[in-house]
Amino acid sequence: ALATLLLAAGCGGGGGGSDSGGPDPGDGIAFARSDLPRELSPSASASEMSSLAEGNASFAADLYRNIRSSGSSNIVLSPLSISRTMALLYAGAGGRTRYEMAEALHFILPGHLLHPAFNALALALEARRNAPVDDGLSPPRIDLADALWAPKTLAGADGSGAEADPADTALADDYLDLLATHYGAGVGLADFAGAPEAARAAINEWIADRTGGRITDLLPAGSITPLTRLALTQTLHLTGHWETPFSPEATRTESFTTLSGATVSVAMMTRKDLYPYASGPDYQAVEIPLAGNQVSMVVALPADGRLAAFESGLTGDGIQSMFSNLYATFVRIHLPRFDLAPAALSLSGTLSAMGMPTAFSDAADFSAMAPAGNLRVSETRHQAFMAVDEDGVTAGAATGAIVGPISGEPAATVRADRPFLFFIRDIPTGAILFMGRVTDPTASG
């Protein structure tokens, strides 16, 4: 997911049951958090967990349909990483902002049940590393980390004795308690105003450390500015061996027909075994389990020439139906090795189009996060990767939401609707690099 960042030494919290996901004392990051511990036995019924999964599948289908229209040939997304990041925002939302987020994100459960369910899901995923396995293989490892980053005054943790800047708003105690109890997360203290680029670099380093070094520049230059008030971050990292590895000796060079109809040569893995399998009028699906049989990859293959129709008809119910129709049978799998790492996506327009535009507008209401806040989401970014070979799967994702102030009425207005001068200068040295005058913007000279 994302991060924001820097200051002195401190301790932090993250998504893991041991708080392993947040900044460590060695990270050099000052950290503030509620004194409440993470709830390690959250109250979430089987029905509530089913509702969370149902909503996540529906969100995943909606998101995929919107992303695929961008024209990208390869797509890797983590709907859970995005949904979990949005849940941190949703916890602080009110009014129409909260209503739209629940609809767009398919948050079926009310907030007092949603956050314990997310906590229970994270704990369950992280427990997969303890699954019993055969043949000396290690079980899959899934690591989640969550954090929120803010200026010291906004976090209510200045400690200098100075009065808080009135432009900043203290985070609500109830919100900090929720972060700690259900997400194991605290607030990293950042110098957005004085060192925004250093903050951005620290964010990206935090993400890289938690995604195996694969996601290194989620936040591009200029994405953190002196106006940044908050950044919410989430990372998800998975490594796992197949329950039964593919034999490298069986891998052959074969042809693969791309979306354009061209053919390329690929390293095609193959094996025949008893696998969960399903088929429909326009697809086949096979489930390849990871060691311990608690995590798997389902490969869904649309019928020849039916990719577009299959994608356009994809729904949450359809995904869950495909999973429920899997049954054990002998299957010969031909699966190419691949290593996908698409560029980071900006999701602000996508999420707005999916039904939650208010969160990104000056009408946003995040008063449950910062009671006097005047905050809105200025950017949401996501990046994911996946590598598959004969041994297993490595995948990771990072999602982040950057929160800035509602624009409001500026203290002064500069309206350049008459001739003006301009200067381009180097601030550290004081050198003026360029200067000029504009008397007619429509003329070249």
Side-chain angles (χ1 to χ4, degrees), residues 11-75:
C11 61
S18 60
D19 281 352
S20 60
D24 299 315
D27 287 341
I29 298 172
F31 219 71
R33 61 175 296 155
S34 165
D35 58 4
L36 295 180
R38 183 175 179 189
E39 175 55 68
L40 298 180
S41 298
S43 176
S45 68
S47 174
E48 289 158 4
M49 296 303 292
S50 177
S51 292
L52 184 68
E54 177 187 342
N56 182 252
S58 295
F59 172 66
D62 287 356
L63 181 69
Y64 181 88
R65 288 197 309 273
N66 278 270
I67 294 297
R68 81 178 182 95
S69 64
S70 67
S72 174
S73 56
N74 291 324
I75 298 173

Side-chain angles (χ1 to χ4, degrees), residues 152-153 157-165:
K152 286 191 288 184
T153 49
D158 192 338
S160 67
E163 292 186 5
D165 184 336

Side-chain angles (χ1 to χ4, degrees), residues 3-4 192 195-197 199-200 203 219-226 228 230-231 402:
T4 297
F192 296 135
E197 276 301 294
R200 182 184 73 87
I203 295 173
L219 292 185
S223 56
I224 297 295
T225 75
T228 299
L230 297 170
I402 299 172

Side-chain angles (χ1 to χ4, degrees), residues 40-414:
L40 298 180
S41 298
S43 176
S45 68
S47 174
E48 289 158 4
M49 296 303 292
S50 177
S51 292
L52 184 68
E54 177 187 342
N56 182 252
S58 295
F59 172 66
D62 287 356
L63 181 69
Y64 181 88
R65 288 197 309 273
N66 278 270
I67 294 297
R68 81 178 182 95
S69 64
S70 67
S72 174
S73 56
N74 291 324
I75 298 173
V76 184
L77 298 169
S78 172
L80 176 59
S81 177
I82 298 167
S83 183
R84 191 171 168 91
T85 304
M86 291 297 104
L88 296 177
L89 276 173
Y90 179 71
R96 184 168 184 82
T97 305
R98 185 177 179 85
Y99 171 79
E100 288 179 353
M101 292 183 74
E103 292 291 303
L105 299 165
H106 294 273
F107 286 163
I108 300 170
L109 298 171
H112 71 283
L113 299 178
L114 177 73
H115 303 296
F118 266 117
N119 189 15
L121 175 60
L123 292 168
L125 292 175
E126 289 164 342
R128 302 298 177 240
R129 69 188 66 172
N130 301 318
V133 295
D134 299 322
D135 302 325
L137 294 174
S138 58
R141 182 180 179 98
I142 303 174
D143 294 297
L144 299 97
D146 307 89
L148 185 146
W149 309 81
K152 286 191 288 184
T153 49
L154 192 64
D158 192 338
S160 67
E163 292 186 5
D165 184 336
D168 287 333
T169 306
L171 292 169
D173 288 343
D174 287 348
Y175 183 73
L176 293 174
D177 288 346
L178 184 144
L179 289 180
T181 56
H182 296 311
Y183 297 91
V187 182
L189 306 181
D191 187 7
F192 296 135
E197 276 301 294
R200 182 184 73 87
I203 295 173
N204 286 335
E205 183 176 357
W206 187 91
I207 294 165
D209 287 346
R210 288 154 181 81
T211 56
R214 290 291 302 267
I215 299 177
T216 60
D217 198 28
L218 181 64
L219 292 185
S223 56
I224 297 295
T225 75
L227 293 180
T228 299
R229 289 294 178 266
L230 297 170
L232 298 92
T233 70
Q234 204 291 318
T235 58
L236 175 61
H237 192 237
L238 161 70
T239 57
H241 301 282
W242 301 124
E243 174 72 13
T244 305
F246 289 80
S247 170
E249 288 75 22
T251 299
R252 299 286 186 270
T253 299
E254 298 184 16
S255 294
F256 184 96
T257 303
T258 68
L259 189 60
S260 68
T263 59
V264 295
S265 295
V266 299
M268 189 73 74
M269 307 181 298
T270 185
R271 77 181 313 273
K272 180 181 179 181
D273 208 336
L274 196 64
Y275 287 109
Y277 171 85
S279 63
D282 58 352
Y283 79 92
Q284 294 175 292
V286 62
E287 181 175 40
I288 311 173
L290 296 181
N293 284 292
Q294 292 186 317
V295 182
S296 71
M297 181 174 79
V298 174
V299 177
L301 179 67
D304 194 15
R306 296 286 296 167
L307 174 65
F310 183 80
E311 289 181 321
S312 63
L314 200 63
T315 64
D317 288 344
I319 294 171
Q320 291 193 315
S321 176
M322 180 173 62
F323 294 166
S324 65
N325 286 335
L326 293 164
Y327 65 95
T329 188
F330 280 100
V331 181
R332 181 177 291 281
I333 298 174
H334 297 266
L335 180 68
R337 285 199 309 242
F338 60 84
D339 189 341
L340 307 181
L345 297 170
S346 172
L347 294 181
S348 299
T350 300
L351 293 172
S352 292
M354 289 173 62
M356 48 175 283
T358 303
F360 299 92
S361 76
D362 282 356
D365 178 359
F366 289 104
S367 55
M369 178 186 299
N374 295 327
L375 302 174
R376 69 178 179 91
V377 183
S378 57
E379 175 65 300
T380 301
R381 292 181 64 79
H382 179 73
Q383 188 170 7
F385 67 87
M386 178 172 287
V388 170
D389 60 17
E390 287 87 349
D391 185 56
V393 176
T394 301
T399 307
I402 299 172
V403 178
I406 289 173
S407 57
E409 183 67 22
T413 299
V414 177

Side-chain angles (χ1 to χ4, degrees), residues 424-442:
I424 307 297
R425 70 184 182 106
D426 176 56
I427 294 175
T429 65
I432 296 175
L433 306 182
F434 299 91
M435 69 171 293
R437 180 184 71 177
V438 177
T439 59
D440 182 355
T442 67

